[in-house]
Amino acid sequence: MSRVAQPRPQVAPLRRLEPGDAVALVSPASWSDESWLAESVATVESWGFKARLGKHADDRFGYMAGGDPERASDLNVAIRDPEVRAILTLRGGSGSLRLLRDVDTDALRADPKPLIGFSDITALHQVWHQAGVPSVHGAVAGTRAETVLRLLRGETGEPVRRDNGQYGAYLTTTGTASGPLFGGNLEMLARSVGIVDNDLDGHVLLLEIHRTVGLGMVDRALTQLLLSGALDGISGVAVGTLEGFDDYEDRGWNVLDVLRDRLSPLGVPILAGLPLGHLEDPVSVPLGVECELDADAGTLTVAALSA
């Protein structure tokens, strides 16, 4: 497979959404039940936008929302439609990685619009990052769903604050860092090495980790990113949820031991315990725009998504 894109160009300006703009709802990964599709459409319409449900958004092909051509088609139809000003992915799961070489990046660069999603959608966020188009790590779910609305309107979100009660918060070190924020699901970032060349020099790396197997998965993924050079030059690390790891140990180590061992040699500030990722009420943040990480204050402040 050829690599997805050439080195990342300058960040494209996005237009803030206005009432009446269209938002596409697509399923590039796993499928959702009918109630979630209906709830998502209702939420988007309650914000004053036109909801455009992808033609194949409720298809089913095993654990994916239809075959690869159908899922890619819905994504590209949304990218190419000048009336669509944002693309909301209905859920993660599995399947986004299959679509990396099918995204119409020329159309995306010609008409930049943000992608919204997290977890498996990290695979596609990398395509947006390569194209120089900001996106949103998050979801229209939970009590903080309207964070996405504020971001689409061009508002600057409130600083994301460390939750000292969240597992892993004490992984936080000291110091400050700045630069564009980019990252997402650790496994998806590692799986994309050799397919997507992420230039993260000067970036603050966002990581959220979902336990599917043991600590070895985390070690292998971080080691792959380190040895590939993908993390060369990063300025800081923002750590979100570590779902499924809070009661898990392997021969005396937990996931924090692995993270500390693999990330400490980078010599950059780490801010952990952020409510980003697999949570009932996740915070949504822009990717590809400037941020300020303050490990001492326990805050991550991210610039506006749109001009």
Side-chain angles (χ1 to χ4, degrees), residues 28-290:
S30 294
W31 51 266
S32 306
D33 59 39
E34 292 182 2
S35 63
W36 179 245
L37 265 65
E39 183 178 340
S40 299
V41 168
T43 298
V44 168
E45 291 181 340
S46 74
W47 291 347
F49 303 134
K50 297 175 183 175
R52 294 202 175 163
L53 191 63
K55 179 179 179 181
H56 303 284
D58 59 353
D59 285 3
R60 298 189 180 189
F61 180 67
Y63 45 80
M64 292 172 288
D68 297 350
E70 289 75 25
R71 288 179 290 113
S73 174
D74 275 5
L75 190 59
N76 285 327
V77 165
I79 290 172
R80 295 165 184 157
D81 188 338
E83 293 186 3
V84 169
R85 301 317 316 153
I87 302 172
L88 173 63
T89 61
L90 288 161
R91 64 159 297 174
S94 186
S96 297
L97 192 67
R98 292 175 172 226
L99 307 185
L100 289 190
R101 64 179 177 181
D102 300 319
V103 178
D104 188 344
T105 52
D106 289 338
L108 179 61
R109 291 188 182 98
D111 185 18
K113 57 194 72 174
L115 178 79
I116 304 153
F118 75 108
S119 192
D120 193 71
I121 306 302
T122 296
L124 294 172
H125 282 306
Q126 294 174 111
V127 178
W128 261 247
H129 188 246
Q130 289 274 304
V133 180
S135 56
V136 176
H137 179 278
V140 178
T143 60
R144 293 164 165 153
E146 291 212 354
T147 303
V148 174
L149 171 60
R150 291 193 290 272
L151 294 176
L152 294 178
R153 285 175 172 170
E155 301 173 21
T156 302
E158 292 292 322
V160 185
R161 300 185 182 280
R162 179 182 65 208
D163 178 357
N164 289 326
Q166 184 171 306
Y167 177 67
Y170 68 84
L171 186 68
T172 298
T173 62
T174 61
T176 61
S178 62
L181 180 68
F182 186 73
N185 181 265
L186 171 63
E187 182 184 6
M188 296 311 302
L189 293 171
R191 294 281 187 182
S192 302
V193 168
I195 305 172
V196 180
D197 291 324
N198 281 313
D199 175 11
L200 298 183
D201 185 41
H203 286 59
V204 172
L205 175 69
L206 169 63
L207 288 179
E208 56 98 358
I209 307 172
H210 172 62
R211 187 171 79 83
T212 53
V213 288
L215 300 182
M217 178 273 288
V218 179
D219 191 317
R220 286 190 293 271
L222 285 170
T223 300
Q224 185 171 3
L225 291 172
L226 289 164
L227 294 180
S228 71
L231 303 188
D232 290 354
I234 64 170
S235 61
V237 181
V239 181
T241 56
L242 305 171
E243 186 187 21
F245 284 103
D246 47 344
D247 295 319
Y248 184 83
E249 284 193 2
D250 185 350
R251 286 158 281 194
W253 263 26
N254 58 34
V255 72
L256 304 183
D257 295 308
V258 179
L259 288 168
R260 190 178 294 109
D261 177 74
R262 296 281 69 200
L263 296 176
S264 293
L266 294 171
V268 299
I270 299 173
L271 173 58
L274 297 171
L276 306 170
H278 290 82
L279 289 166
E280 185 175 344
D281 300 306
V283 174
S284 297
V285 291
L287 297 176
V289 301
E290 292 293 320

